[in-house]
Amino acid sequence: MKRLAVFFTALLFGAAAAAAPLKPSHNAVASAQPFATRAGMQVLQEGGNAFDAAVAVSAALAVVEPYSSGLGGGGFWLLHVAKPDRNIFIDGREYAPAAATPTMYQDKQGNVIPGASLNGPLSAAIPGEPAALVYLNRKYGRLSLAQDLAPAIRLAREGFPLDPLFHSMIATRVNKLKRWPAAAAVFLPHGRVPPTGYLLKQPDLARTLELLAKQGDAGFYQGRLAKEMVDAVRANGGIWSLADLRDYRVKARQPLVGEYHGMKIISAPPSSSGGIVLIEALNILSGYDLADDSGLMQKHLIIEAMRYAYRDRADYLGDPDFVKMPIARLLSPYYAAGLRVSILPDQATPSRDLAPVTAMAPESRHTTHISILDKEGNRVAATFTVNFRFGSGFMPPHTGVILNDEMDDFVSKPGVPNGFGLVGNAANAIAPHKRPLSSMTPTFLETRHGLAILGTPGGSRIISMVLLGALDYFNGGDAKSIVSIPRYHMQYLPDVVFYEPGAFTPDEITGLVKMGYTLRQVHPYGNMQAITWDYKTGKVTAASDPRDIGTAEVR
Ligand code: GLY
C-alpha cells in the first residue's frame, strides 16, 4: 500500500478542467425504461435541448415506471449548462407538511409505530417533482412545457404494454395498492395483477399532466387538483394543507465539487448526503495509489473509505435550510488524511469502535436515474423517487398520482433505523417544511480526457455504487463498464460488507475474511444509467444497467 501526501494532491493535480472540447458528436439518453428513453430522444429530435429531454424523460417515467418515481414524489436534477459554462443543482426534494412533528411516527410510549412512515397518506411529504419539471422547462428548456410533456401525456392516455418488471412490481405490492381504491383501479384492474403485455392506460394521470402543461405550477399546487389531493389525504389520516402545496418551491443550489487525482467530481449537495459521502470517500482514497495495490488491498481500502464516510452521514447531515453542517470539514483533504491514519493495512476497522448505530434493509426497487447529453454539451444527471415501491401506495382519486412515502427518510426517532436501515439524529429530525435527507447522488465526472454522467437508484447503496462507478471511470471505463461492474457496499453499520456475485475473487474473499470483515453475498442491485464523452475521439457512449430493463440511445 502506498500512501501519498494527500495534502498536496489538489496542488499537484489542479482542477480537472480540460481544454475546452469540441461539441459532442451525438445526443445521448439513458433511462430505466425504453419508452422514457424514447421520449427524451423524441424531444431532442424536435429541437429540444438536454433540459427539455430531462423533463420529457422524467415525466414519461412517471407514467411507465410509477413504482419508482412520479409527480407525487421528488428528486434532484443536476445540470451542466454549456453556455455559459456552469453547473446548477435543482433540489426538487419533497418537504414535510407544516403540521408534521418530530414524534409524529411514535406512539404514546415513544416507540416508533412500525410502517407509519411508510404507508398511506400520513407517510407522504409534499411533492417536488412537478415544480422541478416546470422550473427546468421554464428556466433552461427551449421548447414549451406542453411539448416536453407531450410524450408522457400520450403514454398515459393511449397506454403502453405492461413489461415484465412492472408486472412483478405490482405483484409484490398488491396489499399496499389494494388498500386504496384509486390506485387499485389503475394497477389492479378487475382486482387482479394485470398480465405482461396488458395495455395500461392512465387517463387521470394524463389529465393531471395536461393541467401541469397548461397552467405550470398552479395546475398542480393550486386549484382543483390541489384541493382534491388535500381533501383525500386528510380524509385518510394525512396532514397536508392547501398552504403546504401553495408554498412549495424548488431550491436552486450550488453543486458540491471535489477532486480525485485530478478528476473533478460534481455532485449532489444537501438535502442529499450523496455528494458529501462520495467526495469524502474519494478524499480518503486520494491518499493511496490504488493502481499499485493488489485487488484485495484495493477492496479493503475502498470498503474502509465507505465505512468512514457513511458514518459521518448518520452524524451530521440534514436539510441545509434547517441545520448547520460541517461541510467544509467533511470535504477537507486534511480531515480525510486524519481518517486515513486509523485505517490499518491488514485489518478491518470494527464499526463499533467508531460511533452511532444503523442496520441494513434489503435492497428495494424504487427511485430512478436518468443521464442526458446533448450535442451542444448540455448535460443532466437526475435521480428522483417516490421512495419505496409505489411510495405510500396512496393515490388521491381522480389524480392518477401515487403519493410518495418520503417522510421515512427523516429520523422517526434518534437511533431507530428507517426503511433503509439508516439512522441519524437531530440534524435529520422531522420539522415543518423541512426536506428529508436523501442518498440520491446524480453526478458528473470530468477529467482532462472527457466526462461521465452517472447515477442510480438503490437507497443507501446509491452512494457506494456511484463511488465504484467513479473509480471505474477514473480507470478508463466507458459507460457500459461503469454500469456493469460488480458492486459491493458497506455503510458503517451494520458492520457487514454486502457484495454481488463476482464482486470479489475467491482469494479476495479469503483475504477479506482474514482481515476481519463479515461478508454477505446479495442479489444483484442498482439500476445505473451512464454516459461518457471522450474529448479526443469525440466518442459518446451511453449504457443502461444490464441488471434491468432500461435502454440507452446515442444518436
Ligand atoms: N428515498 C431515498 C433517498 O432519497 O435516498
Side-chain angles (χ1 to χ4, degrees), residues 174 177-192 393 395:
V174 170
L177 294 168
K178 77 177 178 204
R179 276 185 70 192
W180 309 109
V186 176
F187 300 117
L188 296 167
H190 315 296
R192 281 197 290 273
M395 180 186 283

Side-chain angles (χ1 to χ4, degrees), residues 86-108:
R86 75 194 171 100
N87 299 309
I88 300 120
F89 183 80
I90 298 178
D91 179 341
R93 182 76 163 157
E94 302 91 330
Y95 72 23
T101 66
T103 55
M104 64 187 276
Y105 298 116
Q106 296 176 21
D107 63 18
K108 288 200 175 78

Side-chain angles (χ1 to χ4, degrees), residues 74-76 93-94 271-273 313 366-367 383-388 405-406 408-409 418 420 422 436-441 458-460 462:
F76 304 124
R93 182 76 163 157
E94 302 91 330
S271 54
S272 177
S273 59
R313 180 195 196 279
H366 54 82
T367 308
T383 316
F384 39 103
T385 187
V386 288
N387 204 18
F388 283 87
D405 57 352
E406 220 71 63
D408 189 64
D409 277 348
N418 76 352
F420 294 112
L422 293 164
L437 185 62
S438 173
S439 298
M440 294 186 287
T441 316
S460 54
I462 289 174

Side-chain angles (χ1 to χ4, degrees), residues 260-271:
Y260 175 75
H261 290 318
M263 176 172 75
K264 188 169 169 186
I265 301 113
I266 300 149
S267 194
S271 54

Side-chain angles (χ1 to χ4, degrees), residues 13 26 46 85 119 127 134 143 155-157 180 185 187 223 260 294 359 361 373 399 407 479 535 550:
F13 289 93
H26 293 85
E46 287 167 3
D85 177 9
N119 296 303
V134 173
L143 306 182
L155 283 164
R157 174 149 299 121
W180 309 109
F187 300 117
Y260 175 75
S294 67
L373 172 72
T399 65
M407 292 294 285
Y535 296 156

